[in-house]
Amino acid sequence: MSSSLPTLLALLVLLAGPGAVCTLHSQHPVLLKESIRIVKDMQKEVSCGKMNVTDIFEGSKTKNRTELLCEASAIILESQHCHKNLQGLFLNVRQLLNSTSLKAPCPVTAGNTTSMEKFLSDLHRLLQQLVKEKFFSS
């Protein structure tokens, strides 16, 4: 059922015509701000803050922000069992990525790990940068 939702949304956008694309882009600030709020709230109460996840932000100078968001979506998807708000965060990040050529979630290569708490802190910083820049530019 969840895979049919993006298909339905895409169909609605196509049926609505060219004006719908502008509407979707205008939702980015709302999605970003909501995602920042979710991450900020989770940082205070995350039940699995000590859980280890792949540290996608380490050495991230070679990745653009869109790639980081896509990889973050994969980590969030894998960790949804840990906290109920992660599902909403995953849906927001996925919606943000729908306007790019990358499809969430992206594969994440194994590497160094970090705590979920630090991952959320780094994700919070990335989302704030995106709000300042208005959209994701490489």
Side-chain angles (χ1 to χ4, degrees):
M1 182 171 207
S2 63
S3 63
S4 64
L5 181 60
T7 306
L8 181 60
L9 287 173
L11 179 60
L12 288 173
V13 168
L14 290 173
L15 290 173
V21 175
C22 295
T23 305
L24 283 178
H25 287 297
S26 68
Q27 289 178 351
H28 280 145
V30 173
L31 289 170
L32 284 169
K33 289 177 183 176
E34 181 181 325
S35 297
I36 289 170
R37 183 193 53 77
I38 291 171
V39 171
K40 191 174 180 181
D41 290 346
M42 286 185 61
Q43 286 175 317
K44 297 175 191 170
E45 62 172 85
V46 70
S47 59
C48 47
K50 303 296 182 211
M51 180 175 91
N52 284 332
V53 296
T54 304
D55 190 358
I56 60 168
F57 296 102
E58 180 183 2
S60 63
K61 304 240 186 274
T62 59
K63 300 176 189 173
N64 68 36
R65 289 172 179 89
T66 305
E67 290 171 326
L68 281 172
L69 267 182
C70 198
E71 289 179 359
S73 72
I75 291 172
I76 294 166
L77 180 64
E78 291 173 7
S79 307
Q80 284 187 68
H81 68 279
C82 144
H83 199 282
K84 63 181 185 219
N85 288 342
L86 284 173
Q87 183 177 18
L89 184 59
F90 172 75
L91 293 173
N92 281 357
V93 171
R94 185 176 178 147
Q95 190 68 16
L96 287 167
L97 290 168
N98 276 345
S99 65
T100 68
S101 61
L102 295 175
K103 297 297 176 202
C106 294
V108 177
T109 57
N112 292 338
T113 60
T114 188
S115 68
M116 176 61 86
E117 187 176 23
K118 183 173 181 318
F119 169 78
L120 290 173
S121 175
D122 292 340
L123 180 60
H124 185 255
R125 188 172 36 260
L126 174 64
L127 293 171
Q128 287 180 321
Q129 287 174 352
L130 293 175
V131 166
K132 287 179 185 175
E133 295 170 6
K134 302 213 176 169
F135 293 116
F136 6 152
S137 57
S138 299

